[in-house]
Amino acid sequence: MYEAKYPEVGMAVMIQVHHITETGAYVSLLEYNNMKGIILLSELFLRRRRRIRSISSLIKVGHLVPAIVLRVDKEKGYIDLSKKTVSEEDVQACEERYNKSKLVHSIMRHVAKIHSIDLEELYTTIGWPLYRKYGHAYKAFKLIATDPDSILNFLTKEVKEAGPDGEEVTKVVAAVTEEVKDTLVKNIWRRMMPQPVKIRANIEIRCYQFDGVLHIQKALRKAESFGNEDCPVKIKLVTAPLYVLTTQTLDKNKGISVLTNAIKACSEEIEKYKGKLVIKEAARVVS
């Protein structure tokens, strides 16, 4: 995922446990091409007063957890790690970075597959330059979604070709073709941009007074007035007296709040005319 082949000592990295012995846990570093590492028993957890009967009671095979890098053996390609020194801040920062890197990696891998490009080559020309310039490619990808040209047009690469005299010359060209750019932007939009959710509530509303239908219509219009451009409230008659209220919004909590308040206002309005509103299903996300 990263240009650096090895993590730095003291860095928190995301690991997956593969094998457990009496001496420790053998793991792979998910952000560093599944490089092998080990967490010795003494580095699993801080000392406890009670005796530990089994390592498996402390850490499970298959678990994804952050660990601190203690030593890096570049000759053997092996990493010593510690679990006991990981703080809550380390966990939060590591998980956030890993989730962002995993999403970037998934998008890069898809683009490489679509255009039959070597994944490392794609990282060399696009991914790692964006990491260097923006701190993390995730941040650059968010900017690409709104203005791809300003982010991607500065990327270049060197290619070798035959010159007029037959000698090989190096030429600097754009690193991203229009085809690759189009695929990249589409995948970023599909994977990273927030999608609106649909929220729905079901109510029954009755009014047996004179002009009861008009009172119900007035109460429903009151509910609709609680919607706005970002979170419109729509009401549909299923079969009297059952109505469905829906909205679509990027903010789930806001959408639920708007529908809840709309139902409350509708109920208060119909009660003025001795009518009654019953909530059959409270506001909930349906898609």
Side-chain angles (χ1 to χ4, degrees):
M1 294 182 180
Y2 311 129
E3 189 171 11
K5 186 177 180 181
Y6 299 94
E8 296 179 3
V9 173
M11 179 181 180
V13 295
M14 188 64 70
I15 57 99
Q16 183 173 30
V17 182
H18 288 293
H19 181 57
I20 297 174
T21 68
E22 289 302 316
T23 58
Y26 291 86
V27 304
S28 63
L29 282 68
L30 300 178
E31 299 166 275
Y32 291 86
N33 202 29
N34 290 322
M35 185 178 297
K36 301 303 179 184
I38 186 171
I39 305 177
L40 296 176
L41 178 59
S42 61
E43 296 295 338
L44 278 174
F45 284 89
L46 295 171
R47 290 184 178 181
R48 300 180 178 184
R49 292 182 179 178
R50 63 183 180 86
R51 184 181 177 185
I52 299 173
R53 295 183 177 180
S54 167
I55 297 178
S56 60
S57 66
L58 302 177
I59 194 167
K60 303 289 185 181
V61 172
H63 276 196
L64 274 64
V65 292
I68 300 294
V69 177
L70 294 180
R71 286 172 292 276
V72 178
D73 189 333
K74 295 183 179 181
E75 292 184 1
K76 296 181 179 179
Y78 219 73
I79 312 293
D80 290 335
L81 303 126
S82 173
K83 185 73 177 64
K84 70 180 182 181
T85 57
V86 179
S87 66
E88 289 297 326
E89 292 77 12
D90 291 330
V91 171
Q92 184 177 356
C94 184
E95 289 180 347
E96 182 180 356
R97 185 194 67 239
Y98 172 67
N99 288 330
K100 289 180 178 179
S101 301
K102 185 171 66 171
L103 180 55
V104 167
H105 188 69
S106 176
I107 293 172
M108 293 285 286
R109 188 171 53 192
H110 182 75
V111 173
K113 182 179 179 180
I114 291 294
H115 294 281
S116 300
I117 303 172
D118 180 73
L119 182 57
E120 186 171 348
E121 178 187 345
L122 197 65
Y123 264 106
T124 301
T125 55
I126 299 178
W128 294 333
L130 293 178
Y131 268 101
R132 289 195 295 268
K133 184 172 182 179
Y134 294 93
H136 200 293
Y138 180 90
K139 182 178 180 180
F141 277 18
K142 295 283 282 187
L143 297 173
I144 287 172
T146 55
D147 190 5
D149 290 340
S150 66
I151 309 301
L152 297 175
N153 285 356
F154 88 96
L155 299 174
T156 59
K157 64 179 179 179
E158 294 183 350
V159 296
K160 297 184 181 297
E161 58 183 36
D165 55 0
E167 293 185 2
E168 188 178 68
V169 296
T170 301
K171 185 178 180 181
V172 178
V173 299
V176 187
T177 64
E178 289 300 319
E179 292 79 10
V180 170
K181 183 193 296 184
D182 183 62
T183 304
L184 180 62
V185 172
K186 285 180 178 178
N187 273 271
I188 289 172
W189 265 101
R190 183 171 61 86
R191 301 291 301 279
M192 294 180 64
M193 293 299 100
Q195 300 298 318
V197 293
K198 185 176 181 180
I199 299 170
R200 167 176 172 155
N202 296 344
I203 63 171
E204 283 187 354
I205 183 169
R206 294 181 172 89
C207 183
Y208 297 111
Q209 299 298 308
F210 180 73
D211 284 341
V213 173
L214 296 179
H215 298 323
I216 289 174
Q217 290 176 349
K218 184 178 180 181
L220 294 175
R221 284 195 295 270
K222 184 78 171 181
E224 286 182 329
S225 70
F226 273 73
N228 53 56
E229 186 177 348
D230 296 328
C231 195
V233 174
K234 297 182 179 180
I235 301 176
K236 181 179 179 181
L237 171 65
V238 178
T239 177
L242 181 62
Y243 293 83
V244 174
L245 286 76
T246 60
T247 187
Q248 278 195 321
T249 178
L250 296 174
D251 188 334
K252 177 186 72 174
N253 294 329
K254 180 180 178 181
I256 291 175
S257 176
V258 166
L259 278 194
T260 301
N261 291 332
I263 292 171
K264 182 180 178 181
C266 185
S267 179
E268 292 173 351
E269 184 67 24
I270 199 65
E271 286 175 1
K272 294 178 181 179
Y273 306 100
K274 298 183 180 181
K276 185 176 182 181
L277 184 150
V278 177
I279 300 175
K280 305 302 290 185
E281 276 191 275
R284 71 195 192 286
V285 175
V286 293
S287 69

